[in-house]
Amino acid sequence: MTTTKDVTMPAGATPPASPRIKPPKSNRRLRLGERTAPYLLILPALVAILVLLGWPTLQLVGISLRKLDLRELVSGEMVWVGFENFSEILSDPEFWEITVRTLVFTASVVILTLLLALLMAVLMRHLNPVVRVILQVALILAWATPVVATTTVFQWIFDQQYGILNKTLAKLGFESFIGHSWFSTGPSTLTVIGVLVVWQAVPFVAFTLYAGLLGVPKEQYEAAGIDGANAWQAFWAVSWPAIRPILTMVTFLSVLWDFKLFAQVWAIRQGGPDGASTTLPVYMYLKGLAGNHFGLAATAALLMMLVLILLTARYVQLLVRTKEADLS
């Protein structure tokens, strides 16, 4: 049996320091594992991104630096031309005209989509359950219809001779629309395509914004009403802060989707009449597959990718600012 002996310390004396105990190596390894674990977890996703996106991008860069027409493609000859493809594309007035047209078309379609979707989301929040379910079913049907099928229906609607739109307008007294061609000019053709795109894009954006509105407690609206706020003031004070981050997200997604739109533009009039409704994706297709100038098509694709990267950087910047504003 061991005994302990009390040691009396004189007043004012400093007790001796206890010997420093080194942490066991297992604890060091544990902390090291905790620091490296997040990187190990994202490593498979990072490798997948590099394989699926990085390698095709490098291939695209390589093709853009080559002359790759049908002759070179068949013979397998490697003809490096450096930045001649970029010089040819950037010096082409048609490219800049199509770029401006694509940007204007994308901005118009995105703005109209967001406005209509926001209206639908607010309506779904305030309608009675029966009408809300009918509206939601209609939106889902419009969203679920395949692109080619919807495009075919719109071609029937806007047909010059047998379209239901011209016949309806003529019966309403607008006789000038009898036999009216909606595809005779580029702006009118793009207008029809824009209506088609908005028709298909509104349901997703509306349901996304509606989900954000459902997350706002009813007590906040009641408090705004008690403070004397009308419906418009309650929307800006209560609803808008809740859906603003969601609206930023769907705006970014809509810009990406509409900027690289191809199927609807090509199915309506193949970029016609006389190329007046051609957008950048159609231009890239005409240069590449239709014109057998794959090097030029790769260059156009890289320029489109650069625009999308700039848009993505802007979105990330807005997202970071929003997070900082929420934390402050």
Side-chain angles (χ1 to χ4, degrees), residues 94 98 101 270-278:
E94 183 184 10
I98 293 174
R101 181 188 302 140
Q270 295 81 42
D274 298 327
S277 64
T278 300

Side-chain angles (χ1 to χ4, degrees), residues 1-321:
M1 181 177 181
T2 60
T3 60
T4 60
K5 183 178 180 180
D6 296 334
V7 179
T8 304
M9 296 294 297
T14 303
S18 58
R20 180 174 296 178
I21 302 175
K22 296 182 178 180
K25 293 183 178 180
S26 60
N27 292 342
R28 294 180 181 176
R29 294 176 180 176
L30 182 60
R31 288 196 295 268
L32 180 61
E34 291 177 352
R35 289 195 297 266
T36 58
Y39 300 100
L40 293 176
L41 291 174
I42 67 173
L43 183 60
L46 183 61
V47 172
I49 291 175
L50 291 176
V51 172
L52 297 177
L53 298 179
W55 177 248
T57 302
L58 291 177
Q59 291 282 79
L60 191 65
V61 172
I63 295 174
S64 67
L65 301 176
R66 296 161 51 189
K67 179 184 178 183
L68 187 59
D69 295 344
L70 188 60
R71 176 178 175 275
E72 289 78 15
L73 184 65
V74 174
S75 63
E77 183 181 0
M78 302 283 288
V79 181
W80 297 96
V81 295
F83 293 97
E84 289 185 9
N85 290 330
F86 289 89
S87 177
E88 182 176 346
I89 289 289
L90 295 177
S91 61
D92 185 6
E94 183 184 10
F95 170 78
W96 293 107
E97 180 183 354
I98 293 174
T99 300
V100 173
R101 181 188 302 140
T102 304
L103 292 175
V104 173
F105 173 77
T106 301
S108 303
V109 170
V110 170
I111 292 174
L112 186 57
T113 299
L114 294 176
L115 291 177
L116 291 178
L118 184 58
L119 176 62
M120 292 290 181
V122 174
L123 282 176
M124 286 190 286
R125 178 64 189 262
H126 294 90
L127 291 175
N128 65 75
V130 177
V131 180
R132 182 169 61 246
V133 169
I134 295 175
L135 178 59
Q136 290 176 346
V137 171
L139 290 174
I140 291 175
L141 291 177
W143 188 21
T145 307
V147 173
V148 176
T150 306
T151 304
T152 303
V153 171
F154 268 72
Q155 286 178 314
W156 290 344
I157 293 174
F158 290 91
D159 185 78
Q160 181 176 359
Q161 298 296 331
Y162 307 103
I164 188 64
L165 180 60
N166 286 346
K167 292 183 178 180
T168 302
L169 292 175
K171 289 185 177 181
L172 291 176
F174 301 96
E175 297 182 356
S176 59
F177 283 95
I178 298 177
H180 177 73
S181 176
W182 294 92
F183 305 105
S184 58
T185 64
S188 62
T189 303
L190 286 176
T191 300
V192 175
I193 297 172
V195 173
L196 168 61
V197 174
V198 170
W199 174 271
Q200 295 176 304
V202 162
F204 171 78
V205 181
F207 278 115
T208 305
L209 296 177
Y210 176 62
L213 291 176
L214 290 180
V216 181
K218 294 182 178 180
E219 291 78 7
Q220 295 186 13
Y221 292 102
E222 294 175 356
I226 294 174
D227 292 338
N230 54 33
W232 184 253
Q233 293 172 337
F235 172 80
W236 282 109
V238 180
S239 301
W240 179 252
I243 66 173
R244 185 176 59 183
I246 303 175
L247 188 65
T248 303
M249 179 193 68
V250 295
T251 301
F252 171 71
L253 293 176
S254 298
V255 169
L256 292 183
W257 292 334
D258 296 338
F259 183 76
K260 59 185 182 65
L261 193 71
F262 174 80
Q264 293 89 330
V265 180
W266 184 257
I268 290 290
R269 279 299 182 274
Q270 295 81 42
D274 298 327
S277 64
T278 300
T279 56
L280 279 177
V282 176
Y283 175 81
M284 183 178 62
Y285 172 80
L286 293 174
K287 284 289 185 181
L289 296 180
N292 296 323
H293 302 297
F294 302 102
L296 292 176
T299 304
L302 277 180
L303 294 175
M304 286 184 58
M305 185 183 300
L306 179 61
V307 174
L308 295 179
I309 290 174
L310 294 176
L311 293 175
T312 304
R314 179 58 179 169
Y315 168 71
V316 173
Q317 184 182 11
L318 293 175
L319 189 63
V320 171
R321 288 182 180 177

